[in-house]
Amino acid sequence: MYSFCFPLVHGRGYRNIDQANTALIAGNITTRYLGKNYPALGMGYDFTPLLNGSFLAISNWTDHSRLLAMNLMFSLSDESELSLAISLPHGHEPEGMQIKSEFGSSPVSVILDYRLYF
């Protein structure tokens, strides 16, 4: 399974990073994504009936930052699973309170998650 999103326009996003910094300083950021234009590519694959993986690449065309996210999920039983998620952002890092790019302000992360459902 795979999907591709053509460049999407986010209506509440900011036209440039200076607008986002002004909103951040004023405490007026009301949206999760800061930019206006985002193309994305997502793919998923079932390696076995118990193991599946997914990949997402998203880019902010306003500030030219990117985020790559990968996830592996292994079903341990009907009520539990183990998930490994890796997030690799790329972009200019912030300087003080000034954002230089949306995804550049995010950390690299690796998360191992055990989920139990009852």
Side-chain angles (χ1 to χ4, degrees), residues 45-100:
Y45 186 75
D46 291 330
F47 297 105
T48 70
L50 301 177
L51 177 67
N52 70 32
S54 61
F55 169 82
L56 173 68
I58 186 168
S59 180
N60 179 334
W61 279 358
T62 302
D63 62 20
H64 307 290
S65 62
R66 296 177 295 282
L67 177 69
L68 301 176
M70 295 153 277
N71 186 38
L72 282 175
M73 192 165 45
F74 183 71
S75 178
L76 299 170
S77 69
D78 286 342
E79 295 86 18
S80 65
E81 61 193 20
L82 190 62
S83 173
L84 174 66
I86 300 171
S87 175
L88 304 169
H90 181 268
H92 297 290
E93 294 183 8
E95 294 176 7
M97 288 295 293
Q98 295 290 315
I99 297 172
K100 297 297 180 184

